[in-house]
Amino acid sequence: MSVLKRPIVTEKMTGLNKQGKYAFEVELKANKLEIGKAVEKMYGVNVEAVNTFRVYGKKRSKNINGRVVSGKTPTTKKAIVTVAEGEVIDIYADL
């Protein structure tokens, strides 16, 4: 199982790509060293810094056939990886 789950492609993250920062959803138990090594191995770039944060799950409820069904969204962990100056990660290369 890989440490990296998927890249995060949003308007905000695309704006950070110009500064050499890229966002990934990662495993909950992954640490910064593991994330940095995984990005270096997968994309062949030099990682300068890794910032991580958790997005805690929220309670959700909806009406189904007259009944209220409630649940919770999963907690995820995200990492913003800063690569060395002049290097670029091509996220769309695998598609």
Side-chain angles (χ1 to χ4, degrees), residues 40-57:
E40 287 178 349
K41 183 179 177 185
M42 182 171 268
Y43 295 104
V45 295
N46 293 324
V47 174
E48 288 186 348
V50 177
N51 297 340
T52 60
F53 58 97
R54 287 181 180 225
V55 179
Y56 292 98

Side-chain angles (χ1 to χ4, degrees), residues 7 14 17-18 30 34 37 44 72 76 80:
T14 305
N17 290 354
K18 296 173 187 171
E34 293 172 343
K37 288 178 183 177
K72 187 178 176 190
T76 59
I80 297 179

